[in-house]
């Protein structure tokens, strides 16, 4: 019998499901059991061509609609997503292995927020009028054209919406390629957008590995590329986009600092560290994986952290009581286990976890290392798994220098009850998305993105509009034209 996660076909192009079984088979594995639950096929060159051609053809008419009309379609899609939240959350859990307890509140709901928010903004995208004596300049905010979205595997529904919603609100069309690891959810986003009234071709989804992404990025019809992925992939995609002078948004990895001062509320700081390291089994780009704890609070912090981490319910992701799921794939699990071994070998102290969980599927115990030093591999490289490194510090000046000593700059957090210190420290941290007495909140209203190697551009908020549109300026002369001859 066909598994309920099996999609109708591999791709969604020009308003309908499309199959081409000559493309390489991509098995979809359920991370909690290791069983294959679906199969899709990578896009062939013919499929890539269909997707690009139909998105290109549909865009001009879409851009001619009023923003209010486009926005109404996006808001209708948001309503459909909310109405189907349970079904979409189950699919997200099959795609990623993340527990239903999380997917019910963080995936289709976050996607719906983006559709609603950008749907609401679509009617208010205007230019300005600049008086120049009796002449004037006016500006128009125009769509970029055909945009490509390429997603990572940790938030397949959310990423498809975070890129699609602002793109479509601005009058662009989009071809979206999910990660080959999680191909299922974006197809549902496309289906729902079209059910809500998006014209055929405005939002197409095609499957494939990096080479399909590469074919999309280098196509001359494509005007913009928005990638969520690792720094090495970001560098390749950015370079490829540059040869065609295309616009880019790069949402890449991180190794973010979370700084806990002696005067912080211990329970809240522990809660922030848990949210910033163990949500989605640690597979979150903005995680605060370098937890700097001031020496005076260290033992208290570690004791409560170990106690509360012991309360994680590891198990069947479909059981709503489960609060901690598996890694997305066997290979990701092995990468993370490799880092755990490195942490032990380089002399960090295991406070809890430190091994694979004893059950089928790709589970790793939530792991806390203490006595981590700045030069250890686990403190320098992005692990993308449930591995928290706790480092000690003495002074504010010292911790700021150490926190910034990384190629990354996605996020940063500070826990303290001294508010002038909180703002002073956050002001000096090199990061794009920051938190005070909290960690990893990502509402659609707030800009999201990194500095340094963690990326360029911002998603969400009004900032995202700037990255999916361009400004045309028009000088209007009322009098005669003077010329030298
Ligand atoms: P990857 O960088 O491996 O892949 C990202 C996407 O790019 C995938 O769809 C991949 O396809 C595709 N891709 C790979 N090579 C190319 C290429 N040459 N041209 C075009 N596309 C290509 O990232 P992961 O999927 O492993 O995701 C984890 C990474 O994503 C982490 O580093 C994490 O920090 C980052 N991330 C960043 C976020 C942010 O907003 N800053 C949010 C979430 C994750 P395929 O995998 O199918 O080969």
């Amino acid at each position: 019998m066909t598994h309920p996660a099996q999609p109708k076909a591999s791709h969604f192009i020009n308003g309908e499901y499309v199959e081409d079984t000559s493309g390489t088979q991509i098995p979809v594995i359920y991370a909690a059991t290791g069983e294959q639950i679906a199969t899709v096929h990578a896009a062939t060159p013919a499929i890539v061509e269909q997707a690009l051609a139909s998105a290109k053809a549909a865009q001009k008419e879409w851009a001619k609609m009023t923003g209010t009309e486009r926005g109404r379609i996006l808001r209708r899609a948001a309503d459909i997503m909310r109405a189907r939240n349970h079904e979409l959350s189950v699919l997200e859990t099959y795609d990623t292995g993340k527990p239903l307890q999380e997917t019910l509140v963080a995936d289709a709901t976050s996607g719906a927020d983006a559709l609603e928010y950008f749907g609401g903004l679509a009617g208010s995208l205007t230019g300005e009028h600049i008086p120049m004596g009796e002449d004037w300049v006016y500006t128009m905010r125009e769509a970029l054209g055909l945009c490509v979205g390429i997603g990572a595997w940790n938030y397949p529904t959310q990423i498809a919406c975070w890129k699609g919603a602002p793109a479509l609100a601005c009058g662009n069309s989009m071809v979206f390629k999910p990660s080959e690891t999680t191909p299922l959810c974006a197809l549902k986003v496309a289906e729902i957008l079209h059910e809500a009234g998006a014209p055929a071709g405005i939002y197409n989804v095609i499957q494939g590995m990096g080479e399909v992404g590469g074919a999309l990025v280098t196509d001359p019809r494509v005007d913009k590329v928005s990638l969520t992925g690792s720094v090495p992939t970001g560098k390749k995609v950015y370079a490829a986009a540059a040869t065609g002078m295309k616009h880019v948004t790069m949402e890449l990895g991180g190794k973010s600092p979370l700084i806990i001062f002696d005067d912080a509320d211990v329970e809240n700081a522990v809660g922030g560290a848990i949210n910033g390291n163990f949500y989605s089994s640690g597979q979150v780009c903005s995680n605060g994986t370098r937890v700097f704890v001031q020496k005076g609070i260290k033992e208290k912090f570690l004791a409560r952290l170990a106690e509360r981490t012991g309360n994680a319910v590891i198990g069947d992701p479909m059981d709503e009581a489960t609060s901690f799921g598996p890694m997305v794939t066997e290979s990701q699990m092995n990468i993370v286990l490799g880092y755990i071994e490195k942490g032990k070998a380089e002399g960090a102290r295991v406070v809890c976890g430190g091994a694979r969980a004893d059950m089928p599927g790709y589970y790793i115990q939530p792991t806390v290392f203490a006595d981590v030093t700045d030069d250890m591999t686990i403190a320098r490289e992005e692990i993308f798994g449930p591995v928290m490194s706790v480092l000690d510090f003495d002074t504010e000046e010292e911790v700021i220098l150490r926190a910034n000593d990384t190629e990354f700059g996605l996020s940063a957090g500070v826990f303290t009850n001294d508010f002038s210190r909180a703002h002073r420290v956050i002001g000096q941290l090199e990061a794009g998305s920051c938190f005070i007495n909290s960690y990893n909140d990502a509402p659609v209203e707030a800009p999201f993105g990194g500095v340094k190697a963690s990326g360029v551009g911002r998603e969400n908020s009004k900032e995202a509009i700037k990255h999916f549109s361009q400004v045309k300026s028009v000088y209007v002369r009322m009098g005669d034209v003077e010329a030298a001859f």
Side-chain angles (χ1 to χ4, degrees):
M1 213 183 78
T2 315
H3 192 277
Q6 175 65 44
K8 286 185 202 149
S10 300
H11 319 289
F12 192 95
I13 301 173
N14 211 26
E16 55 188 21
Y17 277 97
V18 175
E19 190 55 273
D20 180 350
T21 52
S22 64
T24 310
Q25 275 199 15
I26 302 175
V28 185
I29 309 291
Y30 182 38
T33 59
E35 79 181 299
Q36 183 171 343
I37 53 170
T39 309
V40 296
H41 294 266
T44 55
I47 289 287
V48 173
E49 177 54 31
Q50 268 184 48
L52 288 170
S54 78
K56 178 81 186 162
Q59 188 265 326
K60 288 248 166 354
E61 287 304 310
W62 174 245
K64 274 190 207 153
M65 286 167 66
T66 68
T68 305
E69 286 168 331
R70 288 197 301 270
R72 193 176 303 133
I73 291 168
L74 297 183
R75 284 184 291 108
R76 213 179 283 140
D79 291 344
I80 298 172
M81 284 194 83
R82 286 215 178 85
R84 294 194 197 146
N85 183 42
H86 196 274
E87 172 200 328
L88 294 169
S89 303
V90 168
L91 189 68
E92 174 94 17
T93 293
Y94 276 130
D95 223 0
T96 61
K98 291 185 295 180
L100 198 54
Q101 190 189 89
E102 285 186 18
T103 57
L104 282 170
V105 296
D107 294 283
T109 51
S110 159
D113 283 354
L115 290 162
E116 185 172 10
Y117 177 84
F118 289 106
L121 280 185
S124 63
L125 307 179
T126 56
E128 43 173 0
H129 170 265
I130 305 161
M132 303 288 300
E134 58 175 31
D135 297 350
W136 75 90
V137 173
Y138 67 92
T139 65
M140 300 158 77
R141 188 154 285 280
E142 295 185 332
L144 298 173
L146 169 49
C147 301
V148 159
I150 301 178
W153 40 255
N154 55 348
Y155 283 87
T157 306
Q158 188 187 85
I159 294 171
C161 293
W162 280 19
K163 298 190 189 307
L168 268 52
C170 293
N172 303 285
S173 58
M174 176 163 273
V175 176
F176 186 82
K177 187 202 84 69
S179 163
E180 67 175 283
T181 305
T182 53
L184 306 177
C185 296
L187 290 168
K188 284 285 165 194
V189 173
E191 196 185 307
I192 287 169
L193 276 165
H194 286 83
E195 193 178 325
I202 281 303
Y203 188 88
N204 295 331
V205 173
I206 62 172
Q207 310 296 346
M209 291 66 127
E211 69 211 34
V212 171
L216 293 173
V217 171
T218 48
D219 191 279
R221 287 165 290 189
V222 170
D223 301 290
K224 151 133 203 173
V225 180
S226 177
L227 170 84
T228 297
S230 60
V231 172
T233 302
K235 287 179 179 167
K236 275 192 235 158
V237 172
Y238 200 176
T243 60
M245 208 56 82
K246 299 174 200 295
H247 297 254
V248 295
T249 300
M250 295 284 144
E251 294 292 353
L252 309 175
K255 189 73 195 176
S256 301
L258 170 55
I259 302 173
I260 296 164
F261 285 96
D262 278 345
D263 68 342
D265 179 296
V266 176
E267 281 310 308
N268 287 333
V270 168
I274 288 174
N275 289 343
N277 281 272
F278 298 142
Y279 203 71
S280 301
S281 297
Q283 302 166 113
V284 179
C285 51
S286 50
N287 272 355
T289 47
R290 289 183 297 145
V291 181
F292 290 94
V293 182
Q294 207 165 14
K295 282 184 180 151
I297 201 177
K298 177 184 168 186
E299 289 314 322
K300 215 160 140 194
F301 174 84
L302 284 175
R304 273 306 280 154
L305 179 63
E307 230 165 65
R308 285 178 61 178
T309 303
N311 295 335
V313 181
I314 308 177
D316 175 7
M318 291 296 174
D319 179 348
E320 283 185 47
T322 297
S323 57
F324 190 86
M327 304 307 298
V328 72
T329 56
E330 189 173 13
S331 65
Q332 186 64 20
M333 176 184 75
N334 289 329
I335 290 170
V336 176
L337 289 172
Y339 276 111
I340 291 176
E341 289 316 309
K342 264 198 190 127
K344 291 176 188 168
E346 291 179 13
R349 169 164 63 97
V350 177
V351 174
C352 51
R356 197 174 166 174
D358 186 19
M359 56 179 78
Y362 312 133
Y363 290 85
I364 295 179
Q365 298 166 355
T367 297
V368 176
F369 280 108
D371 306 334
V372 177
T373 53
D374 296 350
D375 54 342
M376 288 182 188
T377 310
I378 56 169
R380 303 219 65 82
E381 296 181 13
E382 185 183 43
I383 299 176
F384 225 58
V387 182
M388 185 193 306
S389 294
V390 178
L391 305 94
D392 311 340
F393 75 94
D394 289 302
T395 68
E396 183 180 316
E397 295 70 27
E398 166 209 340
V399 79
I400 291 168
L401 281 173
R402 290 171 60 197
N404 286 336
D405 182 19
T406 166
E407 64 164 322
F408 300 108
L410 185 50
S411 293
V414 175
F415 275 85
T416 174
N417 276 322
D418 176 345
F419 269 78
S420 33
R421 173 155 70 188
H423 295 292
R424 189 169 62 231
V425 172
I426 280 289
Q428 294 175 80
L429 293 176
E430 296 162 0
S433 304
C434 297
F435 310 91
I436 292 178
N437 290 335
S438 189
Y439 206 86
N440 262 353
D441 314 76
V444 67
E445 295 86 350
F448 182 80
V451 302
K452 293 158 75 177
S454 292
V456 290
R458 291 292 177 271
E459 298 201 296
N460 288 342
S461 79
K462 291 179 207 153
E463 288 294 315
I465 295 294
K466 295 183 195 157
H467 297 285
F468 278 106
S469 61
Q470 59 197 343
V471 173
K472 176 182 278 175
S473 83
V474 182
Y475 191 102
V476 181
R477 183 174 297 282
M478 297 303 286
D480 294 331
V481 175
E482 280 181 28
F485 53 87

